[in-house]
Amino acid sequence: MGTETLERGTGGRPGVRRRDSDLRRRDRGGIATDIPRGWPQSVSGCVLHPAERGDMSELRRTALYGLHLELGAKMVPFAGYEMPVQYAPGVLKEHLHCRAAAGLFDVGHMGQVILRAPSGQAADAAAALERLVPVDLLGLAPGRQRYAMFTDAAGGILDDLMVANRGDHLFLVVNAACKGADLAHLRAHLAGDCAVEEVADRGLLALQGPAAASVMDGVAPGAAAMRFMDVATLDSAFGPLWLSRSGYTGEDGFEISVEGAQCEALAHALLAHEAVQPIGLGARDSLRLEAGLCLYGHDIDSTTSPVEAGLSWAIQTARRAGGAREGGFPGAGRILRELADGPARQRIGLRPQTRAPMREGTPLFATEDAADPVGIVTSGGFGPSIEAPLAMGYLPVDLGQKGRTVWGEVRGRRMAADVVALPFRDPNYKR
Amino acid sequence: MYYTEEHEWLRVEDDLVVVGITEHAAEQLGDIVFVDLPDEGKTVSKDDEVVVIESVKAASDILAPLDGEIVEVNIALSDNPGLVNDDPLGEAWFFKMKVEDLSALDDLMDEAAYKKFIG
């Protein structure tokens, strides 16, 4: 049971105890406690500073730390930060509330980065950044955002990120655990062409769910008129808000960059709305899993290519073979080859046939009695909205076809699971 | 009611020992989404892993609190695992055991001792 928590207070060995033996863990260090397996604490592929590995005294806090405590959050170490894993209602209710009304997430641990070219033209910053990502950024219009990933020379993924064209510069949002490595990567490769500024003085919130647009529009008039993946700077009582109409839940919603000193007041104002409840990392994970969205360090990392990961949609024509700016990013050889010939394995969705969840690390087999695994679960758990267990993982392409049945080994038993299309649930984006 | 350091409660009903988990344990686990029950008739030794419960967060084991035989399991939990959160001390018992020597219960904690134990 989250029982390392129970254990901590008592010294007793909890019998309702956490199972670890059947699961792979990544870089857990000493942090443990009751963070669900499969949740990122540190991320393989990113070099973490020792301080990010679970020395509680060295954890950083976001601008909303005090508010989380006030709201009764259970705080856990996450990517070097002390973050709320859940509030009083718990993961299940928080998840369902976000899908039914609106949820407020503190994502202030993520990295916000500005790329500015000396010319003051976003296009020059875009041209420079295209050297590091397989994405068409010169084709990214002002006021628009795209999903991207930093690739390495082997075609693996160093991090995934959002890139927005804010007129005279690019604005990037990167994963918390990778931000140090990302900044170093950007500075090493873009020096001379772009200034790389970490935006350390702004908080980041996400407001997600069907009620998000009306709530947001009340705080920042004009927000409701934005379309999915639009970005805009809107005035509010909390200073200028850098909004994007996007998120990590499969719901309509916004990510909101706000002056650090105004972050808590903005959060209070949003939470004052009847529709809005705070949502912790636990529900954030189940929401994104139902939406079929990758979690860096789990579903994607330096051992997975964008094509294997099913992210080819993020590689626009201009960067593909025969495109205007074909290749020209790290690992282009492998990635263009996989786009042409298909990858050897691919990320797939799984629906276990029983109620037993298949967690991260569950080995996958082609048959009930096959000796050797052919794949692995990279994220898995229970989907509160689909009311069933669900998982994502990797399988060879021939076995990863929709409708195939594979077997996952859970606690020494082979359990059948159906390969299904991703996402598990259609998104509600405002197109 | 008797309590173990493993956060189980035990009570005696018709000479059988009924076993569940405490409110504290259920709260710490979070929302339960799956319960894997043992076969009825299974002979178990103290500390054997007899039940697996999965919450939204993680999988956990429930250990046999005493030596004995599992004579009945609560199949209602298979269909409605959330019962463990709703009524951990009542409806959501996990299994009933036949135990040779009920005096072994005397080594367990009473409610006051358990409350002190969990602080």
Side-chain angles (χ1 to χ4, degrees), chain A residues 92-110:
Chain A
L92 213 60
K93 290 192 178 76
E94 290 171 29
H95 176 116
L96 295 173
H97 181 86
C98 181
R99 294 245 188 268
L104 183 69
F105 302 73
D106 178 11
V107 285
H109 57 314
M110 299 185 78

Side-chain angles (χ1 to χ4, degrees), chain B residues 3-61:
Chain B
Y3 296 86
T4 71
E5 293 190 357
E6 328 294 346
H7 308 283
E8 294 149 310
W9 56 256
L10 291 75
R11 65 172 180 251
V12 180
E13 267 178 30
D14 304 328
D15 294 331
L16 296 177
V17 175
V18 187
V19 180
I21 65 169
T22 65
E23 281 176 303
H24 174 70
E27 189 189 315
Q28 290 292 325
L29 275 170
D31 306 299
I32 307 298
V33 296
F34 174 72
V35 176
D36 195 9
L37 295 163
D39 293 331
E40 289 175 355
K42 185 178 181 177
T43 301
V44 296
S45 304
K46 184 176 186 309
D47 292 343
D48 282 356
E49 297 164 358
V50 286
V51 175
V52 177
I53 41 184
E54 297 243 12
S55 74
V56 287
K57 303 175 186 175
S60 308
D61 293 311

Side-chain angles (χ1 to χ4, degrees), chain A residues 403-417:
Chain A
R404 284 287 304 238
T405 298
V406 294
W407 278 262
E409 192 166 289
V410 179
R411 293 180 283 274
R413 278 187 296 183
R414 300 281 171 96
M415 321 281 263

